[in-house]
Structure formats: structure tokens, C-alpha cells
Amino acid sequence: MKKPILKVRRYNHSETVKWILDLRAFGNGRLFFKTKKDANTEYERQVKLLEAHSAEAIGLSRHEMSKIIHARNELAKHGETIADAVAFRLDYLERIRRCETTINELVTELLDAKRKAGRSEVYVRDLRNILAGPEGKPSEFKSEFGRSKVASVTVEELDKWLHSLNCSNLKTLDNLRRNISVLFGYAARRRMIDSNPVAHIDKPKLPEQAPEIFTVDELRSLLEAANRVAPDVLPMLAIGAFAGVRDAEIKRLDWHEI
């Protein structure tokens, strides 16, 4: 392969710039100048930079050089350069450094924000139980990610953890995924992270099941049993059976609405 040569050349395609320094073979673009003096000054600067980089490259071990070449070739398959990869990685690390908020702290902030927004205590309680756990018992999510910084949690980590739960009830798994998405969606809106990682995790495919229909005798037995064992639940069952109100809507009802 012919070695690239750095040289100031005349440029005949413009009325305003007459000289060019082509750096594309060295990983940069083209520089244009109105005068040859300015072009030569930049040429000298670029030569010094190349010499400095060459001297540093000589000090690299064969193993280090091999890794650099491998990284360059792998990135080239995707139209990227080592400089692109370094810039992406540094941005990632800088975002983690800027965002010192942990998952535990974010959960507390989210729950407080939901209360101030007027969400029902039932909703806030369910959200807390999933993300933080009931009083005195941390949730699985908190145990796994609670001390992690928000910006450090990746799509891959969340996806792997969700699949490791081996949850037989797909509806429960979907509910867990949805509530975690609420947490990271809040972080994204507060610009703690660029995007919600849960949005890139596939939703579990829930089986389509027809609603269960009770016979008169079955419903009578259910209501009588509730009246004996848990009378406080009886109104909820009656409303669900005869008014066609969904479970989530029933939980939001107050006695003055009945």
C-alpha cells in the first residue's frame, strides 16, 4: 500500500480559497486556506502532531498494537472509527459521573412525585411494593439494583435480570416490567439518562384468555364465603360482578362514590 504524503497543494475550484491541505488519509478532513503562508503554517503543525503520535506508537507493545488494529477493523465493519468508539465511551462515563443518583434515591423521588401529582395511595403503594418492597422487606428489584447509579444500569442488565426471575405468571412479569419502565421513564424526563432502557426490552406475550363467567350458584357461593371470611371484600366482589367495573377502577373507588 502506498504511503500517504502530507503536502500543501493548490486548489483551483474556488474564488476565495487557493490552497488545500488534505488530511483524509490521516483520519481527518480537508483544510482550505486563502494564502500559501497560512497553509504552510498548518502543515508544520500537522507534521509535529504526526511525529509526536508516531513516537508514542513506537512505544506500544505488540499486544497493544494488535488490540488497536483489531478494534479498528471491527468498528470499520459498522462504518465507525476508534475515535467514534472513544467519544461514545467517554460520553457514557461522563453521564455516570454527572448522575450520582442511585436507584434507591430515584425510587423515593418518584414516589414523592406521584403523590404530589395526585395519584391514588393504592397506585403509589403498588409502585412502592414492586420497586422498593413492602415495609421491612426489600423487593427483588431493589436488592439487585438499589445501590446502582441510575445512568449505569444498561438494557442488557435489566433484560438478563428479568429473564432470570423465571416467573411462571407472564402477567406478573409484565406488571414488573411496566413499573420499572415508569421509574426509568421518570429518570429520562429528568434528563438523568438519555432514554428509557426498558423501552428496548421486549414485552412478554400474554396469552389471550376469555373472561371467566360464573354461574348463579357459583357467584352465590363466592359472595357467601366472602361474607363469612372477609366481609370487607364483599362490596368489591359485588361491584365487580354486577357493575362490570375493572379491578384497578374498583381499587380507586371511595365509599362516597358507591
Side-chain angles (χ1 to χ4, degrees):
M1 181 182 293
K2 188 177 179 181
K3 186 177 180 180
I5 299 175
L6 184 61
K7 184 179 179 180
V8 173
R9 292 185 173 86
R10 182 176 288 278
Y11 188 69
N12 300 318
H13 305 287
S14 173
E15 295 293 331
T16 56
V17 294
K18 297 298 182 180
W19 302 92
I20 182 174
L21 189 61
D22 194 342
L23 298 169
R24 288 176 295 182
F26 303 92
N28 291 309
R30 297 186 298 173
L31 302 177
F32 300 91
F33 305 91
K34 292 182 179 180
T35 67
K36 188 175 183 180
K37 180 181 178 181
D38 290 339
N40 284 332
T41 299
E42 181 60 25
Y43 166 81
E44 295 294 336
R45 192 180 78 85
Q46 291 293 336
V47 168
K48 290 179 181 179
L49 286 174
L50 289 171
E51 289 176 348
H53 290 164
S54 297
E56 186 176 349
I58 291 174
L60 293 175
S61 68
R62 182 178 297 179
H63 177 66
E64 289 173 320
M65 187 63 71
S66 176
K67 290 173 67 176
I68 291 172
I69 293 172
H70 175 72
R72 182 192 64 185
N73 293 340
E74 289 299 308
L75 287 165
K77 295 177 183 178
H78 303 279
E80 299 288 330
T81 66
I82 291 178
D84 296 326
V86 170
F88 180 84
R89 180 63 178 175
L90 289 177
D91 176 69
Y92 168 76
L93 294 173
E94 179 62 18
R95 283 190 287 110
I96 292 178
R97 186 192 66 78
R98 290 197 308 266
C99 181
E100 296 295 326
T101 303
T102 65
I103 292 294
N104 283 339
E105 292 168 339
L106 182 64
V107 169
T108 300
E109 184 178 331
L110 171 67
L111 296 176
D112 185 56
K114 293 298 182 182
R115 291 189 187 95
K116 291 179 179 178
R119 300 304 298 264
S120 71
E121 278 302 316
V122 172
Y123 172 81
V124 175
R125 183 194 64 208
D126 290 345
L127 194 61
R128 184 194 67 234
N129 288 344
I130 288 175
L131 299 178
E135 293 295 334
K137 184 181 180 182
S139 67
E140 292 182 273
F141 176 73
K142 180 176 181 177
S143 297
E144 182 71 19
F145 296 102
R147 296 181 180 179
S148 301
K149 293 179 181 179
V150 175
S152 71
V153 181
T154 66
V155 176
E156 292 76 17
E157 287 174 332
L158 287 170
D159 192 29
K160 182 179 179 180
W161 176 74
L162 283 169
H163 282 90
S164 72
L165 297 177
N166 294 321
C167 186
S168 58
N169 190 328
L170 293 181
K171 189 172 182 180
T172 300
L173 185 62
D174 183 55
N175 186 48
L176 176 61
R177 177 192 176 280
R178 186 169 59 252
N179 281 275
I180 295 174
S181 181
V182 170
L183 179 70
F184 283 100
Y186 175 83
R189 290 194 298 276
R190 293 298 183 275
R191 299 185 179 181
M192 295 179 182
I193 52 178
D194 292 334
S195 62
N196 183 348
V198 184
H200 303 286
I201 299 176
D202 292 336
K203 297 180 180 179
K205 185 174 177 59
L206 301 178
E208 297 182 2
Q209 295 181 342
E212 186 174 355
I213 300 176
F214 290 91
T215 65
V216 174
D217 291 336
E218 288 172 338
L219 184 57
R220 180 187 298 112
S221 298
L222 176 63
L223 295 177
E224 289 175 349
N227 190 42
R228 290 193 309 272
V229 179
D232 291 342
V233 179
L234 182 60
M236 182 182 73
L237 294 176
I239 292 172
F242 299 109
V245 181
R246 294 182 302 174
D247 176 66
E249 295 171 333
I250 294 174
K251 291 180 179 178
R252 289 195 292 267
L253 291 175
D254 201 347
W255 280 107
H256 75 273
E257 299 174 307
I258 300 175

